[in-house]
Amino acid sequence: MRRPLPRATYSVVLMSALAAGLLSGCSTGGTPSDPEPSGSARAEAKAPASAESLGFTPRRLDLPVYDYQLSPSQYAKVAEAKQVLVTACMKRYGFSWSAPAPTIPRQDRRYGVIDLRAAQRYGYHLLPTDSSVAAEPGAENPSKEEMAALTAGQLLDGDTGASRLAAGYDSPVKRVRGKAVPPGGCAQEAERKLLGRDDLRSEAGVVSRINTESFSSSMNTPAVKAVFAKWSSCMKKAGYDFPDPLKSIGSADLNVPAAPKAETALATADVKCKESVDLVAVWSRAETTIQRGMIKKKASATAAQQADNATRLRNATAIVKKPG
């Protein structure tokens, strides 16, 4: 028995379903507080902007936790495969499925802007996608039948592999248009095919917590506090008063379509000061030490997630290569 699903609930259920198994295992390369890329059922993933189109190669960090997450390019491959699988599943019920296109990070923003060319041209705004890549527009709110086929009225808890009822449902949906719906709908069916097993429990949450907690902990280390102070002193000489790079980013209005001159000037000073005090190297060394300790304590879980990522990527590659 289904109650009417509130309009505002559609997007929550939709993104939770499409993101299952992808988001928490994916390295965005951005700060842990940055939004993760969203899943899509049909639209192409927006590819990173090429070095040629940008005029420079975005710098990326090398942190231990990244070995246990999908890289942006790997995420794009898995997202594409999931698009194929969900679209095929939804077609069984007569739905021509589309969803918001995922956004793949263009650069590593974990420590803010670290590329001088990016700061000079885009300020704190994200780099543009390659103009050769066109994404289909996202779908409007799906119908109740579409949501039923997609999710079976359930949301996946990746840590346990168990499903719970989504808001607006009294019980899991068993049939849509007279046809049986797989447990968890088309979204979870796609995940089972990508993982090659029925059990969808995951250690991605462990990796995600290492990713976020190491970031927070690193900012409290003596080395990082000291380099923040040096950076702040450098910024004061340039006419800006911020205690750390995160506060500098927070002063920018990222809702406007393009960075104004004041923002690019601030971001440029930010990067120049980072370079003058070797902030990125100092910060990454501190966080690397913290992450190695955390990973060692969770060796079994992180190894399991690394294996799951490899399986998902291998199966995704095979799915995308299949004709038709």
Side-chain angles (χ1 to χ4, degrees), residues 52-88:
E52 292 78 10
S53 66
L54 291 175
F56 68 95
T57 300
R59 181 180 176 187
R60 300 204 67 81
L61 301 173
D62 183 16
L63 294 170
V65 75
Y66 289 179
D67 291 338
Y68 303 92
Q69 300 175 310
L70 294 172
S71 70
S73 61
Q74 289 171 338
Y75 170 82
K77 177 65 70 175
V78 175
E80 183 181 2
K82 188 160 188 177
Q83 292 162 16
V84 171
L85 293 172
V86 173
T87 299

Side-chain angles (χ1 to χ4, degrees), residues 159-300:
D159 287 339
T160 64
S163 293
R164 62 180 174 82
L165 287 175
Y169 291 89
D170 295 316
S171 61
V173 176
K174 299 296 185 181
R175 304 185 74 81
V176 169
R177 294 184 175 180
K179 296 183 179 180
V181 176
C186 289
Q188 287 191 35
E189 179 184 88
E191 272 305 300
R192 288 189 286 272
K193 290 182 178 180
L194 285 168
L195 277 173
R197 63 172 191 257
D198 290 334
D199 184 357
L200 295 182
R201 76 183 65 186
S202 169
E203 300 295 350
V206 172
V207 174
S208 180
R209 286 188 286 275
I210 291 173
N211 186 43
T212 56
E213 291 173 12
S214 66
F215 180 81
S216 297
S217 296
S218 68
M219 290 191 291
N220 293 317
T221 61
V224 173
K225 284 184 176 181
V227 81
F228 279 179
K230 292 179 181 178
W231 174 88
S232 181
S233 178
C234 175
M235 289 292 282
K236 284 181 180 179
K237 293 177 182 177
Y240 303 101
D241 187 11
F242 297 103
D244 61 62
L246 300 186
K247 295 294 191 299
S248 177
I249 298 171
S251 70
D253 182 2
L254 302 182
N255 292 316
V256 298
K261 289 183 178 180
E263 181 186 321
T264 57
L266 171 59
T268 297
D270 175 1
V271 175
K272 287 182 176 179
C273 284
K274 282 173 180 168
E275 292 176 346
S276 71
V277 301
D278 210 17
L279 183 145
V280 174
V282 172
W283 197 349
S284 62
R285 279 197 299 270
E287 192 169 11
T288 291
T289 299
I290 292 170
Q291 285 185 0
R292 284 175 176 164
M294 296 177 76
I295 290 169
K296 185 176 182 180
K297 289 180 181 179
K298 297 290 186 179
S300 177

Side-chain angles (χ1 to χ4, degrees), residues 103-132:
T103 299
I104 310 302
R106 272 72 68 184
Q107 66 282 297
D108 201 321
R109 288 291 181 89
R110 191 176 189 87
Y111 301 153
V113 179
I114 58 177
D115 295 302
L116 185 58
R117 297 289 293 278
Q120 291 170 334
R121 294 179 62 183
Y122 306 106
Y124 291 117
H125 280 59
L126 295 178
L127 303 184
T129 55
D130 193 320
S131 59
S132 66

